[in-house]
Amino acid sequence: MSLKLYELVGADAGRPFSPFCWRTRMALAHKGLSAETIPWCFTEKEAIAPHKSDKVPVLLDGETPVVDSWAIANYLEDRYPDRPSLFGGEGGRAMARMLNWWGDLSIVGGIFPMIIADIPLNLKPVDAAYFRKTREARFGKPLEEVMAGRDKAVEGFRKSLDPLRLTLKTQQFLGGAAPNYADYIVFGPFQWARVVSPFRLLAEDDPVYAWRERLLDAFDGMARKSPGYPA
């Protein structure tokens, strides 16, 4: 078994920050698998082009490439069935598919405008220039303008977490008494934000904050030990 993981980093190669790569990191830890990490930056497209991808995560299992965090989670579940399940059965996998879309659209999509101008501060100059050019083209305005209203926007974002918050009032994790891939789907974006931005997304008395703290401590504190802001 020889696993390798391409994951997004900035100027500090020891500070991985992609929300999708963090989903994969947590999934590997859940399965009790270790992977050699290969730092990858935005402008290094040629490094992963042979694996038919232009973004990370890319997992290599020997000669087999697996692209996209959701595809990787399914691959790990099916390839290593003797290890702890990420989904707890096919019903759990089906529900996680919906959560994966919700995580992409509502959690990643909700957080991104509130931290967007902080991200280039963590990048090498060439990657910062690439990030600014491509994201400003997407939003049609400077990153600082996209982020300008975040003190007000965070109130709406916190309200949007009510389904998660209400769930966590009656159970420790989305997976129940212990975390599973449903938790990692949602946690990945919060860890991404923690790594690249000092902006506080959550109030300390929020059940979602307490849930995030539990996942920061999971797997011997793997996520907490990764460099980040005290947010």
Side-chain angles (χ1 to χ4, degrees), residues 4 51 60 89 122 128 130 138 220:
K4 297 181 180 180
H51 307 302
L60 302 181
N122 296 272
Y130 167 84
R138 181 188 303 177
D220 194 31

Side-chain angles (χ1 to χ4, degrees), residues 12-231:
D12 181 353
R15 197 179 180 109
F17 68 91
S18 161
F20 309 106
C21 291
W22 270 103
R23 290 175 181 173
T24 297
R25 273 194 163 219
M26 299 295 280
L28 285 165
H30 184 104
K31 282 284 188 182
L33 297 168
S34 59
E36 175 190 346
T37 56
I38 305 173
W40 180 87
C41 297
F42 282 116
T43 55
E44 296 174 345
K45 306 291 186 185
E46 71 284 352
I48 56 176
H51 307 302
K52 295 182 171 53
S53 184
D54 62 356
K55 57 176 115 5
V56 290
V58 173
L59 180 73
L60 302 181
D61 188 356
E63 297 300 314
T64 302
V66 191
V67 177
D68 177 80
S69 58
W70 175 251
I72 291 170
N74 282 274
Y75 176 84
L76 293 175
E77 185 77 344
D78 297 335
R79 175 70 175 82
Y80 301 98
D82 56 323
R83 293 176 176 268
S85 174
L86 288 168
F87 303 115
E90 288 307 305
R93 192 192 305 238
M95 287 188 287
R97 183 177 291 109
M98 186 283 292
L99 276 174
N100 202 66
W101 284 114
W102 181 71
D104 288 357
L105 298 174
S106 298
I107 307 300
V108 175
I111 290 173
F112 193 35
M114 295 188 288
I115 64 171
I116 192 168
D118 292 330
I119 293 175
L121 304 178
N122 296 272
L123 306 178
K124 298 175 183 177
V126 64
D127 294 301
Y130 167 84
F131 182 88
R132 182 172 288 276
K133 179 180 179 181
T134 55
R135 275 53 178 184
E136 288 185 349
R138 181 188 303 177
F139 283 92
K141 53 186 169 182
L143 303 185
E144 290 73 16
E145 288 186 19
V146 177
M147 200 173 77
R150 67 180 178 180
D151 288 335
K152 182 176 181 181
V154 74
E155 298 174 8
F157 173 72
R158 289 173 179 174
K159 179 64 177 174
S160 76
L161 300 176
D162 275 351
L164 175 61
R165 187 172 293 114
L166 292 169
T167 301
L168 295 170
K169 286 185 175 181
T170 57
Q171 60 195 58
Q172 290 283 291
F173 298 98
L174 296 181
N180 65 13
Y181 195 68
D183 292 274
Y184 312 144
I185 287 169
V186 184
F187 174 75
F190 283 104
Q191 175 71 349
W192 161 54
R194 174 185 167 270
V195 171
V196 299
S197 175
F199 185 65
R200 287 189 170 270
L201 294 171
L202 301 169
E204 291 189 14
D205 61 352
D206 190 337
V208 180
Y209 182 97
W211 163 85
R212 189 192 67 167
E213 289 292 296
R214 290 191 288 274
L215 285 167
L216 284 169
D217 289 332
F219 311 120
D220 194 31
M222 179 182 70
R224 192 182 296 280
K225 291 174 182 175
S226 190
Y229 293 94

